[in-house]
């Protein structure tokens, strides 16, 4: 018995050593190409970034709020660069509509009213943030805590670094053009897709894809006493706990106006969470548009562009939701205090199709650094 | 080459009914796919781009080997990354599950000590560990461990089953021939368990491939076919998504095919047909 | 060999099985001596414990009382000085004929060339030339048992214990194998304890037939078979001895029937 047990122990030990050796032989664990200007990236969900950063599996990450403040408040991470420092006023989340929804007068009317509610909610948030002693700010924090399931200090920190903004101004369209050009350069969007979509060029595409006229009409929408669509609610798509999309949470809240009605109801709208909402990412919202489960959605601008051009999902961007609000986070105490400090290190990104990935790529390019997948 | 042609002709002649039905089944499958894609396009259904034609997928499949993707990798890089994971996960699972299974199957003490832990972990799907594994073990060994978990339990349980099913008559025969404990272990129990081990490996590899796709979607070093599918989905290049799916199917068939070949040779060598 | 030397010695053998809460006495006060080079058949109704006797001698089953010795050595556990041939052959399916036969030699640590010489000798003895590298699965029942016999003999045991070795064979093969066994026996001069329930087989093979009682098993009668070999099953002598053995056995068969009917 003893003899056999020891034989087995030896076999196990030998096998583990073998597997371990194989691991190190098969994977080149060298830190750097040696060219001295490469930053490596891996892809992982933002929800796990704080954990992997704390555990030392990554050296930094780029993500949106509240995943930035999550690490900062927890003492795990320090912000190396806010996204506004990379591309000032860069677009982030948008409100998009499924084209069939606005194919008739009734749908157009509902969409305009929806945008009025969106504007109203955004203005209310901005006003509340002006005065942190106000009861409105406290209510805002409450709504944000409920929506993101983060604690108050994380929410406060995150709100301080976000700008809620709905206008589809020139900064917005120019940035969308730039992002689209980048995707074309990288081959993510095939050159033929612009023409296939019936557009002359990228500028024409952005011009047609972004329709600011609803925002203009919305300015003249007045509150009504009755619900206009009692039997067919607007099916709303949005992301799980994405603080950028706080406006829709505020518009749903029956406490904001003080008259027992939500902002949506105040403008005569019956709005329901779509089947599947909250969604995991913007791509999923676009998929739900394609499947016909969502009428109006809050989502990041890159999936809106990618899925519209590549997967021909018939949508139109009606408004912005927020600008900026993402950041590059590094481990607290790592000593990394500039982008050159990331050379040879591993930075986690939410995915190559995310706006955060593009921002990381842009800022590294500005510094003369290149971004490569960690192999 | 002539002998190969003869071999193929001979096989077709002998099994023409099978070959015909198999070909027919494939024709019907691709025909149905083609028709569905055509139907979506003809009626301008909202999600038509999500179901590219088989021809487009074939084109994307070939292109993925020559045109680097967003991350600068070719399909071959992704295949190698996934194969490495399968290989490492398999080696680890095999190295631990075989001796553990032999011990648990042979000794009541080992069974009493080992089984409670095994029974706790067995019903947990390997994918449930993904978020934790990524944080604790990182992007390099994390996905490997997910694959390991997928392969480990089928191998372990089949080995235990094999040991428990050892024909007592063979044990008697060995004892009367003067075999001591270690002889019985290496010359009777181990060979007797081999077919069970092979079954465990085949089942485990199948589960391993399922695990790897999901594990790579969450976080990894150096891509992988699962990651490829995920990344192309985010880009909405569905012809390439299907190409990745087809690649997984091919790799799965190849690995289980290799395992079946090994099993067949082993059985023939062991005189068990 | 000096025919009078005692090889297997059993005195006051007792075997009690526990089944649930009941105790079943399988053997009680079983006494038997088998001389060196002798071929003794154990005959009795099914369930009388004849296989149990053999397994106790083989060391595969612990006894509950009494004494068993082989070549003067007290039996404690299985050992290579007692070769066993099983009814179900019990060959290692993953080993070739040669490798099966060499199992005992391997375990002993015999060097390869010697091992091969020994196995070749026994392959010749049981007439399996040309089948050395074949796996058991491809062999007929009779050939499988030839391997079983060769494997047991290759260890050069003091005694050969055979547990209904031809029970799984068809009648013709069985007769052939009985003749083969006698040939092998005369070539090796081994002491053989042979368990069977076939009167015909026992009379054809044995120097002495030990008829056992129904449970609890003990020796009912020991019948020497004086017929010279080769024996002819159709000779009047053979038929009369067979009749004698059958009549001794018949009362025990009836007892067994009664036991079974009473549900014991």
């Amino acid at each position: 018995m003893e003899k056999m047990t020891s034989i087995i122990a030896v076999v196990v030990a030998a096998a583990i050593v073998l597997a371990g050796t194989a691991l190190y032989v098969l994977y080149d664990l060298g830190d750097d190409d040696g060219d001295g200007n490469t930053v490596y990236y891996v892809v992982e969900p933002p929800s796990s970034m704080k954990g992997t950063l704390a555990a030392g599996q990554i050296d930094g990450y780029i993500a949106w709020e509240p995943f930035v403040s999550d690490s900062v408040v927890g003492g795990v991470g320090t912000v190396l660069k806010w996204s506004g420092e990379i591309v000032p006023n860069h677009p982030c989340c948008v409100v998009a509509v499924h084209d069939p929804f606005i194919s008739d007068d009734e749908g157009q009317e509902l969409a305009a009213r929806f945008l009025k509610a969106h504007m109203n909610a955004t203005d209310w948030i901005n006003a509340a943030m002006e005065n942190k002693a106000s009861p409105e700010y406290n209510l805002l924090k409450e709504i944000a805590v409920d929506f993101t399931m983060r604690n108050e200090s994380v929410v406060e920190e995150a709100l301080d670094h976000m700008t809620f903004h709905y206008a589809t101004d020139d900064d917005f369209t120019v940035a969308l053009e730039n992002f689209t050009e980048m995707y074309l350069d990288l081959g993510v969007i095939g050159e033929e897709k612009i023409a296939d979509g019936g557009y002359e060029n990228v500028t024409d595409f952005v011009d047609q894809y972004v329709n600011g006229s609803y925002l203009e009409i919305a300015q003249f929408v007045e509150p009504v006493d009755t619900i206009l669509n009692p039997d067919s609610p607007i099916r709303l798509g949005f992301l799980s706990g994405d603080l950028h999309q706080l406006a829709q949470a505020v518009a749903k809240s029956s406490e904001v106006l003080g008259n027992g009605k939500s902002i949506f109801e105040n403008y005569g709208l019956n709005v329901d969470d779509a089947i599947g909402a909250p969604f995991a990412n913007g791509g999923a919202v676009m998929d739900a548009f394609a499947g016909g489960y969502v009428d109006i959605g809050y989502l990041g601008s890159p999936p809106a562009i990618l899925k519209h051009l590549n997967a021909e999902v018939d949508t139109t961007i009606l408004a912005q939701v927020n600008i900026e609000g993402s950041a590059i986070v590094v481990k607290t105490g790592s000593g990394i205090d500039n982008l050159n400090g990331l050379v040879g290190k591993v930075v986690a990104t939410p995915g190559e199709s995310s706006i955060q990935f593009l921002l990381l790529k842009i800022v590294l390019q500005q510094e003369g650094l290149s971004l490569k997948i960690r192999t | 080459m002539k002998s190969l042609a003869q071999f193929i002709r001979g096989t077709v002649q002998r099994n023409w009914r099978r070959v015909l039905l198999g070909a027919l089944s494939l024709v019907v499958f691709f025909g149905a796919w083609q028709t569905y894609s055509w139907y979506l396009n003809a009626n301008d259904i909202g999600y038509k781009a999500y179901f590219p034609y088989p021809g487009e997928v074939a084109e994307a499949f070939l292109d993925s080997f020559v045109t680097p993707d967003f991350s600068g990798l070719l399909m071959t890089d992704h295949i190698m990354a996934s194969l490495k994971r399968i290989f490492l996960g398999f080696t680890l699972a095999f190295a631990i599950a075989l001796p553990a299974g032999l011990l648990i199957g042979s000794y009541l003490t080992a069974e009493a000590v080992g089984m409670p832990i095994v029974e706790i972990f067995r019903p947990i799907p390997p994918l449930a560990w993904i978020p934790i594994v990524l944080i604790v073990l990182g992007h390099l060994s994390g996905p490997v461990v997910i694959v390991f978990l997928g392969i480990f339990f089928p191998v372990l349980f089949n080995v235990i089953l094999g040991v428990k099913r050892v024909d007592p008559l063979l044990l008697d025969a060995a004892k009367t021939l003067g075999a001591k404990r270690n002889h019985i272990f290496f010359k009777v129990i181990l060979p007797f368990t081999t077919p069970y081990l092979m079954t465990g490996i085949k089942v485990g590899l199948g589960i391993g491939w399922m695990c790897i796709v999901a594990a790579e979607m969450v976080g990894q070093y150096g891509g992988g076919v699962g990651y490829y599918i995920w990344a192309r989905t985010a880009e909405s290049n569905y012809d390439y998504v299907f190409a990745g799916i087809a690649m997984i199917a091919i790799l799965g068939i190849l690995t289980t095919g290799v395992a079946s070949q090994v099993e067949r040779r082993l059985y023939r060598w062991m005189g068990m047909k | 060999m000096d025919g009078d030397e005692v090889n297997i010695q059993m005195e006051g053998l007792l075997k009690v099985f526990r089944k649930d809460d009941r105790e079943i006495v399988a053997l009680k006060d079983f006494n038997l001596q088998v001389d060196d080079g002798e071929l003794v058949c154990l005959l009795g109704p099914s369930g009388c414990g004849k296989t149990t006797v053999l397994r106790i001698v083989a060391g595969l089953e612990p006894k509950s009382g009494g004494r068993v010795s082989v070549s003067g050595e007290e039996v404690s556990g299985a050992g290579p000085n007692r070769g066993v041939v099983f009814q179900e052959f019990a060959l290692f399916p993953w080993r070739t004929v040669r490798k099966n036969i060499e199992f005992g030699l391997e375990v002993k640590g015999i060097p390869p060339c010697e091992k091969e010489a020994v196995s070749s000798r026994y392959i010749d003895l049981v007439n399996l030339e040309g089948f050395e590298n074949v796996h058991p699965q491809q062999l007929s029942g009779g050939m499988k048992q030839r391997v079983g016999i060769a494997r047991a003999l290759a260890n050069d045991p003091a005694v050969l214990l055979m547990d209904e070795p031809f029970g799984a064979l068809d009648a013709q093969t069985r007769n052939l194998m009985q003749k083969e066994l006698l040939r092998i026996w005369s070539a090796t001069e081994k002491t053989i304890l042979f368990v069977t329930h076939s009167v015909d087989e026992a009379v054809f093979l044995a120097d002495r037939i030990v008829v056992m009682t129904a449970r609890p098993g003990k020796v009912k009668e020991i019948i020497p078979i004086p017929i010279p070999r080769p024996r002819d099953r159709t000779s009047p002598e053979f038929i009369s001895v067979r009749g004698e053995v059958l009549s001794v056995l018949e009362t025990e068969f009836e007892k067994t029937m009664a036991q079974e009917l009473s549900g014991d």
Side-chain angles (χ1 to χ4, degrees), chain A residues 58 61 71 117 125 133 166 174 185 208 230 304 317 328 368 370:
Chain A
I58 53 176
Y61 66 79
S71 287
I125 294 170
Y166 50 77
V174 167
D185 286 349
Q208 291 194 44
I317 293 174
I328 302 171
S370 63

Side-chain angles (χ1 to χ4, degrees), chain A residues 1 3-4 7-8 12 15 23 26-27 29 41 43-45 55 57-58 188 287 307 310-312 352 357 374, chain B residues 48-50 70-71 84 88 95 99 107 135-136 138-140 182 185-186 218-219 221-222 227 235-238:
Chain A
M1 164 105 190
K3 187 180 173 190
M4 213 177 70
I7 290 171
I8 289 176
V12 176
L23 190 88
L26 286 176
Y27 286 100
L29 290 178
Y41 73 90
V43 174
E44 68 173 77
Q57 308 295 357
I58 53 176
V188 173
D287 294 345
K307 293 252 172 184
N310 279 345
E312 298 166 45
E352 292 152 338
F357 186 89
R374 182 67 170 85
Chain B
K48 57 181 188 288
Y50 291 66
F70 194 120
S71 43
K84 275 182 207 168
L88 286 171
Y107 296 108
I135 289 167
V136 177
H139 303 73
L140 180 63
N182 59 328
F185 186 80
F186 286 106
V218 180
Y221 277 175
Y227 172 71
E235 295 170 9
S236 284
N237 286 317
Y238 284 95

Side-chain angles (χ1 to χ4, degrees), chain A residues 79-93:
Chain A
V79 171
L80 182 65
K81 232 174 181 49
W82 287 100
S83 60
E85 302 171 56
I86 300 169
V87 179
N89 298 328
H90 74 79
C92 189
C93 289

